[in-house]
Amino acid sequence: MYPRAPPPRAGIPLLLPPACEESESERGRGSPEPGSRVGKDSAMKLLSLLVAVALGLATAAWARPAALECWFVEDLGGGALEKRPAALLLRQGLGAPPPRPDLDPKLYLGVDDPAGALLAGLRRLLRGDPTPRCEMSRFVPLPAPASWARSLSPEASCPRALDGEWLMVSVSGRDLSLSSLLRKPAELQPEPVLITMATAVLTVLTHTPAPRIRLGQDAVLDLSFAYAPPTPEPAASLAPGPPPFGLEWRRQHLGKGHLLLAATPGLHGQVPAAQEGAVAFATWDDEPWGPWTGNGTFWLPAVRPFQEGTYLATVHLPYLQGQVALQLTVHKPPDVSLTPAPLVWATPGEAPPELLCLVSHFYPPEGLEVEWELQGGPEDGFQKATGEKWLSALHHHSDGSVSLSAHFRAAPVTTKHHGARYACRVRHQSLPASGRRASVTVEVAGLSGPSLEDGVGLFLSAFLLLGLIRVLSGLRTQ
């Protein structure tokens, strides 16, 4: 690999008080009291002890070996696959690598990662997901199959610098998905072989393996990659800077593939026009010598339902390709309203008016549940309501969302139902587990006090009656 200044090593900051000069006011005070000096010395000793303990714990944690269990998958032809156990040793620890008699030494790989992206990603996976999925398979360096990326590989055959045995490692977890090309050394290792060393050459990773995008909002799918030249050629023999690369974003849905974006920064090739307003931030870092890191983050504006599916992000280097898959889903929580509201009037022995629960503008259409509930009193919880219920057909909107109405005809009420509340509770994958609820209160005729309308009516009746009495009294006096 090319020479590069090592990154600064992270350490534990020492919280030491800054040195301070003696002020004029302190000169006249004389020497400090013995007790204060002893207190400072004790605090410094305690701080030093805490730092030493922290450094010891960090060193002990780093000294423990860490391995990622994988499966080596090989195509035997005729549709038959063979799976054998394998492992990546991410950190050897102190001394020799831990023995693994259960593994073929050729599938027990000690990883050298000059760029640091593979090991950083795998350590994050091991912290966040106890059982990440890991598969290994053989890889053969070849020119890029896409016509727009052929300028990356001017020769039909691969250069001798890429000779040797290559493996592709694919690892996926809850918060990370990565793919890495590992190259085994061309020279034979001395016997007995307990572990096989391999170098990470190209690593592609994303921290959004399963993005959930709200309908109508922009999707930002992050992608980064790192490349370490496979052979330590003299820096003077090559021009400074990273090699050219190609970036491709493709969507697969219902068995069909669709190219959304292709880019070859620094090359004047004919690339297809971007589709659906897609934009990618395709750049290398500005380091003159490797390893290099790059960015291929993808932006898709105002996501619609038809844009759901598997997104394949591929980074092309001369004769090398790395790819990760992201599963994008679209969602939109429904708006829930209940009519008639806010009160439902009924008389004892009769059913209240039919209730209509409107569930509007949600996505996806599948998985919606509507439950009808009844709360007998303020101190009671909601219970399942009895009555007749049915759903309308779906109504489709121009933005891809759907709506429907849920109908409910309750059983006849009694005086006990006065002040009770009927509610429709909607559950959907876009909502929290408790769902979303809308409710109305039932008023039973004859049990409620006079309303404002009743008071106004009584006032007008009294006013008219008083006027009529005055008129009659005037007629009698004539």
Side-chain angles (χ1 to χ4, degrees), residues 195-217:
I195 189 171
T196 300
M197 300 306 297
T199 302
V201 176
L202 173 62
T203 300
V204 181
L205 60 91
T206 177
H207 296 287
T208 55
R212 295 183 71 247
I213 310 300
R214 184 171 177 136
L215 179 65
Q217 293 187 349

Side-chain angles (χ1 to χ4, degrees), residues 23 82 104 111 114 144 160-161 174-175 202 216 241 253 304 320 345 407 412 456 458-459:
S23 63
E82 181 186 31
D104 182 344
V111 179
R160 296 300 302 271
R174 181 180 56 195
D175 301 319
L202 173 62
H253 186 59
R304 302 282 297 277
L320 301 177
W345 291 88
H407 301 258
V456 172
L458 291 174
F459 174 80

Side-chain angles (χ1 to χ4, degrees), residues 142-157 159 162 242-248 263-269 271 284 314-321:
L142 291 172
S147 58
W148 57 267
R150 288 175 183 169
S151 58
L152 296 171
S153 307
E155 301 177 3
S157 59
L162 300 181
F245 76 97
L247 175 67
E248 176 183 348
T264 52
L267 297 179
H268 301 286
V271 298
W284 279 116
T314 307
V315 175
H316 297 274
L317 289 179
Y319 309 99
L320 301 177
Q321 300 86 36

Side-chain angles (χ1 to χ4, degrees), residues 141 158-166 183 201 227 230-231 318-320:
C158 299
R160 296 300 302 271
L162 300 181
D163 287 350
E165 186 177 356
W166 290 76
R183 187 192 186 208
V201 176
Y227 172 67
T231 54
Y319 309 99
L320 301 177

Side-chain angles (χ1 to χ4, degrees), residues 462-476:
F463 182 81
L464 293 174
L465 181 60
L466 179 61
L468 180 60
I469 293 174
R470 288 182 176 180
V471 171
L472 294 176
S473 298
L475 292 175
R476 290 179 181 179

Side-chain angles (χ1 to χ4, degrees), residues 424-436:
C424 70
R425 184 193 295 269
V426 175
R427 301 183 189 274
H428 189 252
Q429 58 183 282
S430 62
L431 295 173
S434 59
R436 184 169 292 175

Side-chain angles (χ1 to χ4, degrees), residues 32-372:
E33 297 180 3
S36 63
R37 173 67 63 184
V38 172
K40 290 182 179 180
D41 292 343
S42 300
M44 290 298 297
K45 290 180 179 179
L46 178 60
L47 180 60
S48 301
L49 178 61
L50 292 175
V51 171
V53 170
L55 289 174
L57 292 175
T59 303
W62 184 256
R64 292 194 297 268
L68 178 64
E69 303 301 318
C70 299
W71 287 101
F72 177 76
V73 182
E74 190 167 19
D75 188 359
L76 301 180
L81 296 176
E82 181 186 31
K83 295 178 66 174
R84 290 186 285 164
L88 298 176
L89 186 62
L90 310 181
R91 185 174 62 244
Q92 178 173 320
L94 302 178
R100 291 294 301 268
D102 57 319
L103 298 178
D104 182 344
K106 295 182 179 179
L107 300 180
Y108 182 29
L109 302 179
V111 179
D112 177 25
D113 184 19
L118 172 62
L119 297 185
L122 292 181
R123 289 179 188 133
R124 175 171 177 170
L125 266 181
L126 291 176
R127 288 197 303 267
D129 192 342
T131 55
R133 178 185 176 186
C134 177
E135 287 188 356
M136 283 193 286
S137 59
R138 300 189 188 277
F139 177 81
V140 179
L142 291 172
S147 58
W148 57 267
R150 288 175 183 169
S151 58
L152 296 171
S153 307
E155 301 177 3
S157 59
C158 299
R160 296 300 302 271
L162 300 181
D163 287 350
E165 186 177 356
W166 290 76
L167 294 173
M168 173 178 285
V169 178
S170 299
V171 185
S172 59
R174 181 180 56 195
D175 301 319
L176 186 86
S177 178
L178 65 84
S179 174
S180 186
L181 297 182
L182 305 182
R183 187 192 186 208
K184 295 183 178 180
E187 64 277 5
L188 296 177
Q189 295 183 230
E191 297 290 342
V193 178
L194 301 179
I195 189 171
T196 300
M197 300 306 297
T199 302
V201 176
L202 173 62
T203 300
V204 181
L205 60 91
T206 177
H207 296 287
T208 55
R212 295 183 71 247
I213 310 300
R214 184 171 177 136
L215 179 65
Q217 293 187 349
D218 298 347
V220 180
L221 312 183
D222 83 279
L223 183 77
S224 60
F225 48 95
Y227 172 67
T231 54
E233 299 183 25
S237 64
L238 297 175
F245 76 97
L247 175 67
E248 176 183 348
W249 280 90
R250 182 180 295 271
R251 180 175 65 242
Q252 288 186 339
H253 186 59
L254 300 177
K256 296 181 180 180
H258 181 59
L259 179 64
L260 295 174
L261 184 140
T264 52
L267 297 179
H268 301 286
Q270 295 294 326
V271 298
Q275 303 294 315
E276 303 173 12
V279 177
F281 305 93
T283 58
W284 279 116
D285 60 18
D286 57 357
E287 296 291 335
W289 311 113
W292 294 279
T293 58
N295 181 25
T297 300
F298 181 76
W299 178 73
L300 195 63
V303 170
R304 302 282 297 277
F306 74 89
Q307 293 171 313
E308 285 188 310
T310 302
Y311 283 70
L312 300 177
T314 307
V315 175
H316 297 274
L317 289 179
Y319 309 99
L320 301 177
Q321 300 86 36
Q323 183 181 88
V324 292
L326 304 86
Q327 189 66 40
L328 185 146
T329 57
V330 179
H331 73 100
K332 187 177 187 301
D335 297 323
V336 181
S337 61
L338 186 58
T339 58
L343 298 176
V344 174
W345 291 88
T347 58
E350 294 182 356
E354 178 184 305
L355 299 180
L356 174 65
C357 183
L358 181 60
V359 187
S360 59
H361 294 88
F362 64 94
Y363 187 87
E366 301 80 18
L368 183 80
E369 297 180 3
V370 179
E371 301 172 354
W372 290 95

